[in-house]
Amino acid sequence: MTSRPPLHCLRCARAADSFAGCRTCAAEGIGVNTMPPLADLAGVDLAAYPGGPWGLPTALPVSGPPVTLGEGNTPCVRLRTDRDQGGSAEGELWLKYEGANPTGSHKDRAMAVGVAAAVAAGADTVVAASSGNAGAAAAAYAARAGLRCVVFTNERVPAGLRAQIDALGAERRVHPGAAGARNAAMAQAVEEHHWYPLTSYSSPSPGGNPYANEGYKSVAYELARDFAGRWLDAVVVPTSRADLLAGIGRGFRELAAAGLIAHEPRLVAAEPSAAAPYTAALRRPDRAEQERTRVAAQPTVAFSLGEERPCWQGLDALWRTAGAAVALDDEAITAEGRRLAAEGLVLEPSSAVGSAVARDLARTPGSLVVAIGTATGLKGLVG
Amino acid sequence: MTSRPPLHCLRCARAADSFAGCRTCAAEGIGVNTMPPLADLAGVDLAAYPGGPWGLPTALPVSGPPVTLGEGNTPCVRLRTDRDQGGSAEGELWLKYEGANPTGSHKDRAMAVGVAAAVAAGADTVVAASSGNAGAAAAAYAARAGLRCVVFTNERVPAGLRAQIDALGAERRVHPGAAGARNAAMAQAVEEHHWYPLTSYSSPSPGGNPYANEGYKSVAYELARDFAGRWLDAVVVPTSRADLLAGIGRGFRELAAAGLIAHEPRLVAAEPSAAAPYTAALRRPDRAEQERTRVAAQPTVAFSLGEERPCWQGLDALWRTAGAAVALDDEAITAEGRRLAAEGLVLEPSSAVGSAVARDLARTPGSLVVAIGTATGLKGLVG
C-alpha cells in the first residue's frame, strides 16, 4: 500500500477517515466529498499536453503505475446553430465528445485513475454501484489492471450497457428499487471484504471516489489547450452527483492558479427537470438553504442522471464561477437528441441535456460555449 | 462542381471514367481501384500533425470545405503479451483503437472525406452499400453535411448497427441475399438519380470510393507521429476489400517518399478463414495467378469481413512491403475477442482477427507490432 495524499472536507476542512465523504457535514444533511489538495500546475506546457488524466500524472493523487486504455483527448466538434440556418448573429457552440473514450463515456477518465488507486492500495476487488456508464468503465479498467470487479446495478440499466458490463467480465448484481439497498450491500462489501469502492455508498451521496474524480480535471486541461488564447464563456455539464462538474471546476481552478488560463469559464449544470436539485437549489435565497435542498426525483429519459440532493462540491463549482443550473423536460431532451442525430451525432439522452442548455447560451453574439457530450448513444439504442 | 484530381488505374494506369474501378482490368477478372496521385508530404512537420484526415488536408483529393465529426487521432493501447505473464522475451504489441471514432469505426475517416467529395461534386444524396460500419459512417457524415443518405444493407446487419443507421436519419433498404442485387440497385441509383456512391457497386469490387479511401492514409500518419523514431515492424489490418489496408499502405508510401519515416512497415492482412482471398492468393506461385484468386466465402463471426476475391491494391500493399496474409478460424477469433475483453477492450470480432494475428507476430523478441482495432464491439452486443 503506497502513501496517498490526505483527504479533507471541501466544506468544513475536517480530515476524512473513509470514502464516505464528510460525516460531520452529512449529519447536517449535506453530501460533500473529501478531496486531496489541488495540484500545482506551475511550469506546465499546455501546448505539449497529450490529453487524458495520465497526460499530466503529477496532477493526480496516485503514485502507482498508470492504468490506461487510451482514455481522454476527446475531440471538440462545432455544432450548427440557428445562425448557420440564416438566423441572427450568434456565438459558437461546441460539443466535447466524450463518447470517444474506450468504453464510450467520460467515466473512463475517472475509472482509469480510480483503478490505479485501487492497485496502489493493494486491492484485489473493486466495486461500483452504477445504473450505467460508471459500471462499464469500472469493469473495463478493473479488467485492464487484472482486478476482480463487482457492479451493483438496478433494473433500469439498458440492455447495451448490461451486455457491455458482462462482456468485460464484471460480476453484475441487480438490486431492484431504491439506492438504499445498493448502498448497504456496497458498504458491507467494503467493510467486511475490503473491496475497493469506485463509487460512493453513503447518503447523502458525497459524489464519488475522490481519487477517481481527479481524472475529470483532464477535461479542463484539454479545453484550455484546445481553446488556447480564446475567451471560453461557459462549459455546460450534464449533472447528477456532480463528479464531472466538480472535477472540471477543479481543473480550471488549477489552471487559473498557475496562470495557464486568463479566467475560469462559467460552469453550468444541465439537469432533467424530473430530477433537478441544482436548479432547485439556486432558486433558494441563501447558501445555507441551497446546500440543504432536496427534491423528489422522477424517472427521466436521461437515465444516467437523477438525484434528489445536490452534492456540495457541485454547488461550490457553480458559486465560484458565477455559474447557473438549468433544467429541461424530457420533451426538450428528446428533441435535442434528434437535433444532434440530424447532425451526425448519436449521444445518450443525458448528453443532449447539456447541448440543449449550451445551445441556448450560445445565442449570445460573440459567445463561446462548450457542452460536454458525456456518452455515446449506442448503448441505449437497442433492448 | 469543383475540379477533382484525375483517377488512374493502379494496375494498368488507364484513366478512369467512373467510380466502377478499372473496367479494363475488371474484364480480366481483376478488381482494382482507380486513384488520384499520391500526395507530396515534403516539409510536413509530423510532430505538429493533429491527427485525422483533415489534420493534413493538402494530402486529400478534395478541394471543398471539410466535413468533420472529430474523426481520427485515435489512441494506441499497449496490449499484454505472454511475456507479461512470465513468458519468454517478446516484442511489443499495440492496438490502435478505431472504435474511438465518432460512429465507432475506422470507416469515419473515409466517409468524412467521401461526403466532402460528394458536397464538392454538388450531390444532394449519397448512397452506400454496407452490412455494417460503413453504412453508419455514411449516415453520420451525410447528416453532418445536410445530405440525404440511402444505405443498402442485407439481413445480416446486427440490431445495434441497424438502430444506429436509423437514428442518424438514413434511409435503410434491405436487399436480402447476394451482393448482386444490392450492386444493381446502387448502380441504378447512381446512373438514373445521380446519387453519389460512397461504396463500390461493380463486380469484381474495385474496393471503395477513391476519394473516401484517401481518408485512411491518416492512420499511417498518426502511427508515424506516435511511434516517431522507433522501428515499426508490422501493421496488421483486418481485411476484406482492402480499403483500409491499401489506404494505410499509401500513407506510409507518402511518408517514406518525403523522408518522414526511415522505412515502410510490413503490412499484414488479417482474414477470417471462412473468407480469406488474400491468404489464398499469396499461397499461389506468381502474381498473375494471385491477382485472379477466387475463394468460396462462408459466413463468419467476423461479420464485417468476407470477400471472394482480393482487391488488387490490397495485394499490391502486401507485395510492396514484403507483407503477408494470415487467416484465422472463428474459434480463434472468438477466443481473441475474449482475451481483449479480459483486458478491458470490447471490439467487434473483425478487430479481434487483427490483434490475434498481430499477437503472434509480436512473439519475435524486439519486435514492434501494431494491430488496427477497426471498430467498437458495442453495436453487436445486443440483438
Side-chain angles (χ1 to χ4, degrees):
Chain A
M1 202 161 182
T2 53
S3 67
R4 293 171 307 193
L7 305 179
H8 289 88
C9 174
L10 295 169
R11 181 169 173 269
C12 75
R14 281 188 185 80
D17 61 353
S18 74
F19 286 125
C22 179
R23 294 180 195 271
T24 309
C25 292
E28 296 181 45
I30 295 161
V32 53
N33 223 332
T34 55
M35 294 294 290
L38 291 175
D40 180 359
L41 302 188
V44 166
D45 175 12
L46 265 189
Y49 167 56
W54 301 113
L56 209 47
T58 55
L60 296 175
V62 180
S63 50
V67 178
T68 182
L69 290 166
E71 60 290 334
N73 210 34
T74 54
C76 280
V77 182
R78 182 151 177 201
L79 298 182
R80 284 198 293 262
T81 55
D82 292 337
R83 185 186 59 179
D84 303 314
Q85 275 91 50
S88 56
E90 287 203 341
E92 290 179 28
L93 173 61
W94 293 78
L95 182 87
K96 188 163 175 64
Y97 179 57
E98 289 289 295
N101 279 298
T103 77
S105 89
H106 67 289
K107 294 285 182 183
D108 289 341
R109 296 181 189 264
M111 292 306 172
V113 182
V115 169
V119 171
D124 60 9
T125 302
V126 295
V127 57
S130 166
S131 55
N133 293 308
Y141 286 86
R144 178 71 168 166
L147 303 185
R148 180 180 168 219
C149 180
V150 178
V151 181
F152 292 109
T153 67
N154 62 27
E155 70 278 14
R156 293 199 308 272
V157 179
L161 255 164
R162 285 200 307 270
Q164 186 185 21
I165 292 169
D166 293 349
L168 288 163
E171 185 184 328
R172 191 164 48 81
R173 300 188 186 176
V174 180
H175 281 263
R182 289 201 295 180
N183 281 349
M186 197 160 151
Q188 186 181 22
V190 171
E191 284 152 28
E192 293 181 14
H193 307 310
H194 305 292
W195 295 355
Y196 187 91
L198 291 170
T199 61
S200 298
Y201 50 94
S202 53
S203 178
S205 174
N209 178 297
Y211 303 102
N213 284 2
E214 289 289 81
Y216 295 125
K217 296 190 300 189
S218 55
V219 173
Y221 308 157
E222 292 170 20
L223 289 173
R225 179 197 62 186
D226 294 347
F227 291 96
R230 300 200 60 196
W231 189 272
L232 189 53
D233 289 286
V235 176
V236 181
V237 187
T239 296
S240 183
R241 290 186 176 176
D243 48 346
L244 180 59
L245 174 71
I248 293 174
R250 286 170 64 85
F252 281 124
R253 283 174 67 194
E254 291 175 350
L255 290 161
L260 295 170
I261 54 174
H263 84 300
E264 298 174 44
R266 288 181 72 202
L267 296 176
V268 178
E271 303 180 279
S273 50
Y278 300 88
T279 304
L282 292 193
R283 286 193 186 126
R284 305 180 103 185
D286 62 57
R287 292 190 178 187
E289 287 187 66
Q290 290 178 5
E291 61 190 12
R292 286 172 181 82
T293 301
R294 185 162 192 173
V295 300
Q298 304 296 329
T300 158
V301 292
F303 59 84
S304 294
L305 304 177
E307 284 290 317
E308 298 193 338
R309 312 192 217 213
C311 287
W312 189 88
Q313 60 272 10
L315 290 174
D316 187 52
L318 305 180
W319 293 331
R320 285 179 182 275
T321 63
V326 181
L328 295 177
D329 64 23
D330 278 9
E331 193 180 342
I333 296 168
T334 303
E336 173 68 15
R338 280 195 299 266
R339 187 162 180 170
L340 290 174
E343 202 167 345
L345 293 157
V346 178
L347 276 72
E348 71 167 25
S350 307
S351 305
V353 185
S355 60
V357 170
R359 191 177 295 284
D360 195 48
L361 294 174
R363 295 224 158 80
T364 304
S367 62
L368 174 57
V369 180
V370 176
I372 309 297
T374 42
T376 175
L378 284 179
K379 306 178 193 184
L381 281 179
V382 177
Chain B
M1 203 159 177
T2 52
S3 67
R4 292 170 307 191
L7 304 180
H8 289 89
C9 174
L10 295 170
R11 181 170 173 268
C12 76
R14 280 187 185 80
D17 61 354
S18 74
F19 286 126
C22 179
R23 294 178 196 271
T24 309
C25 292
E28 295 182 45
I30 294 162
V32 53
N33 223 332
T34 54
M35 293 296 291
L38 291 176
D40 180 358
L41 301 188
V44 165
D45 175 11
L46 266 189
Y49 168 57
W54 301 113
L56 208 48
T58 55
L60 296 175
V62 180
S63 51
V67 177
T68 181
L69 291 165
E71 60 290 332
N73 210 33
T74 53
C76 280
V77 182
R78 183 151 177 201
L79 299 182
R80 285 198 293 262
T81 55
D82 291 337
R83 186 187 56 179
D84 303 314
Q85 276 91 49
S88 54
E90 288 203 342
E92 289 179 28
L93 173 61
W94 292 78
L95 182 88
K96 187 162 174 66
Y97 179 58
E98 289 289 295
N101 279 298
T103 77
S105 89
H106 66 289
K107 294 284 182 184
D108 289 341
R109 295 180 189 263
M111 293 306 172
V113 182
V115 169
V119 171
D124 60 10
T125 302
V126 294
V127 57
S130 166
S131 56
N133 292 308
Y141 286 87
R144 178 71 169 167
L147 303 185
R148 179 179 169 222
C149 180
V150 178
V151 180
F152 293 110
T153 67
N154 63 27
E155 70 279 14
R156 291 198 310 272
V157 179
L161 255 164
R162 284 201 307 271
Q164 187 185 20
I165 293 168
D166 294 349
L168 288 163
E171 185 183 327
R172 191 164 49 78
R173 300 189 185 176
V174 180
H175 281 263
R182 288 201 295 180
N183 281 349
M186 195 160 152
Q188 186 181 23
V190 171
E191 285 152 26
E192 293 181 14
H193 307 310
H194 305 292
W195 294 356
Y196 186 89
L198 291 171
T199 60
S200 298
Y201 50 93
S202 54
S203 179
S205 174
N209 178 297
Y211 303 101
N213 285 1
E214 289 289 81
Y216 294 125
K217 297 191 299 188
S218 54
V219 173
Y221 308 157
E222 291 171 20
L223 289 173
R225 179 197 62 184
D226 294 347
F227 291 96
R230 301 200 59 196
W231 189 272
L232 190 51
D233 289 285
V235 176
V236 181
V237 187
T239 297
S240 183
R241 289 185 177 177
D243 49 346
L244 180 59
L245 174 71
I248 293 173
R250 285 170 65 85
F252 280 124
R253 284 174 66 193
E254 291 175 350
L255 290 161
L260 295 170
I261 54 174
H263 85 298
E264 297 174 45
R266 288 181 72 202
L267 296 176
V268 178
E271 303 180 279
S273 51
Y278 300 89
T279 304
L282 293 193
R283 286 195 186 124
R284 305 179 103 184
D286 62 58
R287 292 190 179 187
E289 288 187 65
Q290 289 177 7
E291 60 190 12
R292 286 172 179 82
T293 301
R294 186 161 191 173
V295 300
Q298 304 296 328
T300 157
V301 293
F303 59 84
S304 294
L305 304 177
E307 285 289 318
E308 298 192 339
R309 312 192 216 213
C311 287
W312 188 87
Q313 60 273 10
L315 289 174
D316 187 51
L318 305 181
W319 293 332
R320 285 179 182 274
T321 63
V326 181
L328 294 178
D329 64 23
D330 277 10
E331 193 181 343
I333 296 168
T334 304
E336 174 68 16
R338 280 195 299 266
R339 187 161 179 170
L340 290 173
E343 203 166 346
L345 294 157
V346 178
L347 277 72
E348 71 167 26
S350 307
S351 305
V353 185
S355 60
V357 170
R359 191 177 294 283
D360 195 46
L361 295 175
R363 295 223 159 81
T364 304
S367 61
L368 174 57
V369 180
V370 176
I372 310 298
T374 42
T376 175
L378 284 179
K379 305 179 193 184
L381 281 179
V382 177

